[in-house]
């Protein structure tokens, strides 16, 4: 059975405001998608999360986003490709400073929110993100939705690609995520999230919001850190996976 990585979005605070329980989640996950200041996060937060992740042997990933602090990176934006390329590289570089200071490195890149969903289909925006990663480090793996334009272009450019699934998000029959603006897009029932996690890890399938089985072959499973009860849910997911014989380990 292929091992599964557990990743979570961390460092999603700003100044005195904190959204995610970074310390507790870092005791469960194997990869940390660290906000790089554009949708959340600031220098102090980034440094703190990198230090905690390095202490625990958790891989540090740059979670790059549109420049949208007010909208938490979840609003649709039209950013010129050259500008987006530079901003992606900028975010990776900022996090790399703190990762190195903690004795680690940025190990991968994952887009966030509206950018993540945009690059599933948008060739131009996907290419701009790929170019930004290449500008920062041409050997960095990228994390994304299976069959997305982003992963296809990244693979073509020579970047290592890693497929990802979401246990707490509803899927369409086409294998994309149901937009958060629609009812039922986020799954809040803990037992359902646990069972979906097991199905994704063991069988590579998930049931769509309209009832069809959807193949989703993923090496990494995302557990959102900003949902209520995120830490306990993450613990339950990991415990269920391991008790079912699924090996949980980082993909890098």
């Amino acid at each position: 059975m292929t091992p599964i990585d557990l990743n979570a979005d961390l460092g999603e605070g700003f100044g005195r405001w904190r959204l995610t329980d970074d310390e507790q989640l870092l005791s469960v996950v194997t990869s940390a998608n660290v906000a790089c200041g554009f949708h959340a996060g600031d220098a102090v937060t980034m440094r703190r999360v990198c230090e905690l992740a390095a202490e625990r042997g958790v891989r540090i990933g740059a979670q790059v986003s549109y420049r949208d602090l007010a909208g938490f990176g979840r609003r649709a934006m039209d950013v010129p490709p050259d500008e987006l390329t530079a901003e992606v590289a900028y975010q990776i570089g900022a996090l790399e400073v703190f990762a190195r200071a903690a004795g680690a490195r940025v190990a991968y890149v994952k887009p966030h929110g509206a950018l993540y969903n945009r690059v599933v289909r948008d060739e131009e925006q996907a290419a701009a993100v790929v170019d930004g990663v290449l500008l920062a480090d041409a050997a960095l793996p990228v994390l994304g939705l299976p069959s997305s334009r982003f992963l296809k272009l990244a693979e073509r450019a020579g970047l290592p690609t890693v497929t990802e699934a979401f246990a707490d998000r509803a899927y369409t029959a086409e294998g994309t995520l149901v937009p958060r603006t629609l009812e039922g897009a986020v799954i809040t029932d803990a037992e359902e999230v646990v069972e979906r996690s097991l199905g994704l890890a063991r069988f590579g399938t998930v049931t769509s919001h309209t009832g069809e089985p959807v193949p989703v072959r993923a090496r990494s499973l995302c557990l959102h850190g900003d949902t209520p009860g995120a830490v306990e849910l993450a613990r339950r997911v990991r415990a269920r996976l391991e008790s079912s014989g699924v090996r949980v380990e980082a993909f890098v």
Side-chain angles (χ1 to χ4, degrees):
M1 189 182 300
T2 303
I4 194 77
D5 168 69
L6 295 180
N7 77 75
D9 302 345
L10 301 179
E12 291 184 329
F14 194 83
R16 297 177 62 185
W17 173 69
R18 291 189 184 182
L19 178 62
T20 49
D21 189 341
D22 300 323
E23 187 163 3
Q24 294 300 315
L25 282 167
L26 283 167
S27 68
V28 182
V29 300
T30 47
S31 296
N33 317 316
V34 183
C36 298
F38 274 37
H39 74 281
D42 56 30
V44 172
T45 303
M46 291 161 69
R47 182 181 183 184
R48 175 178 54 83
V49 175
C50 284
E51 289 174 347
L52 290 170
E55 287 173 5
R56 290 161 172 76
V58 175
R59 303 300 185 268
I60 297 169
Q63 187 160 45
V64 298
S65 171
Y66 286 128
R67 189 188 292 270
D68 180 27
L69 274 176
F72 197 59
R74 288 179 175 161
R75 297 185 293 189
M77 303 184 76
D78 291 316
V79 180
D82 59 340
E83 185 176 330
L84 182 57
T85 291
E87 292 190 338
V88 165
Y90 178 93
Q91 292 174 77
I92 297 168
L95 188 65
E96 177 70 5
V97 169
F98 299 118
R100 286 195 181 194
R105 296 290 301 273
V106 170
Y108 65 95
V109 178
K110 175 185 173 179
H112 166 81
L115 182 59
Y116 186 99
N117 291 315
R118 180 76 170 267
V119 298
V120 170
R121 294 193 176 94
D122 191 311
E123 184 99 7
E124 186 177 66
Q125 294 283 279
V129 175
V130 169
D131 287 344
V133 177
L134 290 170
L135 186 60
D137 184 343
L140 275 176
V142 294
L143 192 60
L145 210 63
S147 302
S148 64
R149 296 307 304 160
F150 174 52
L151 289 194
K152 288 179 180 177
L153 291 175
E155 186 174 9
R156 191 182 302 169
L159 293 172
T161 59
V162 182
T163 53
E164 178 182 38
F166 296 81
D168 60 355
R169 289 295 310 278
Y171 277 79
T172 69
E174 293 73 36
T176 58
L177 300 180
V178 173
R180 283 180 176 267
T181 53
L182 300 181
E183 186 177 353
V186 179
I187 298 166
T188 56
D189 181 86
E191 188 56 33
E192 184 178 357
V193 173
V194 171
E195 290 302 314
R196 286 164 68 91
S197 299
L198 187 59
L200 286 162
R202 293 192 65 183
F203 308 112
T205 60
V206 69
T207 301
S208 75
H209 74 307
T210 49
E212 300 92 345
V214 180
V216 183
R217 295 290 179 181
R219 177 63 179 84
S220 186
L221 185 64
C222 180
L223 302 172
H224 282 100
D226 62 339
T227 55
V231 174
E232 182 57 30
L233 180 57
R235 287 176 178 150
R236 287 181 60 181
V237 167
R238 178 156 187 168
R240 184 59 182 279
L241 291 174
E242 292 180 331
S243 68
S244 300
V246 177
R247 191 164 77 254
V248 177
E249 63 180 37
F251 58 82
V252 288

